[in-house]
């Protein structure tokens, strides 16, 4: 296995809450959880309904095959 085939690139999203007067938003979730787009949008929608200002920031990450398989298993309709 070569080093190039060892990793897969994915676009994952983090949800951030922006509070009045703050320059940067605070991440939502344990250890700034990175999610596929559909679950991130669902979380952002719930927070917006609660009256918070929320953004979804895309991040390109390199995942091992095990991590990619876990995401596919955990969020089957998102990828």
């Amino acid at each position: 296995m070569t080093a190039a085939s060892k990793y897969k690139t994915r676009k994952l999203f983090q949800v951030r809450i922006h509070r009045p007067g703050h320059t940067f938003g605070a991440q939502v979730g344990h250890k700034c959880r990175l999610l596929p787009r559909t679950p991130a949008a669902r979380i952002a929608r719930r927070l917006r309904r609660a009256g918070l200002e929320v953004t979804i920031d895309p991040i390109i990450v390199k995942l091992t095959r095990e991590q990619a398989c876990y995401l596919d298993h955990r969020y089957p309709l998102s990828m």
Side-chain angles (χ1 to χ4, degrees):
M1 182 184 315
T2 64
S5 66
K6 189 174 182 181
Y7 296 101
K8 292 183 171 191
T9 58
R10 292 277 174 90
K11 183 188 282 190
L12 297 177
F13 298 84
Q14 67 178 356
V15 180
R16 291 178 161 269
I17 296 175
H18 297 277
R19 294 189 172 94
H22 289 216
T23 306
F24 297 102
Q27 297 94 352
V28 174
H30 180 66
K31 294 186 178 179
C32 181
R33 179 160 296 172
L34 297 173
L35 300 166
R37 184 168 182 78
T38 305
R42 186 181 320 122
I43 291 169
R45 192 176 325 119
R46 287 182 183 176
L47 292 173
R48 283 186 189 119
R49 285 183 192 155
L52 297 170
E53 186 177 337
V54 179
T55 59
I56 301 173
D57 301 329
I59 298 176
I60 302 294
V61 293
K62 287 188 175 183
L63 303 173
T64 62
R65 287 186 180 190
E66 293 80 17
Q67 290 170 326
C69 288
Y70 173 77
L71 281 175
D72 292 340
H73 177 70
R74 178 82 165 92
Y75 305 103
L77 301 176
S78 298
M79 296 295 174

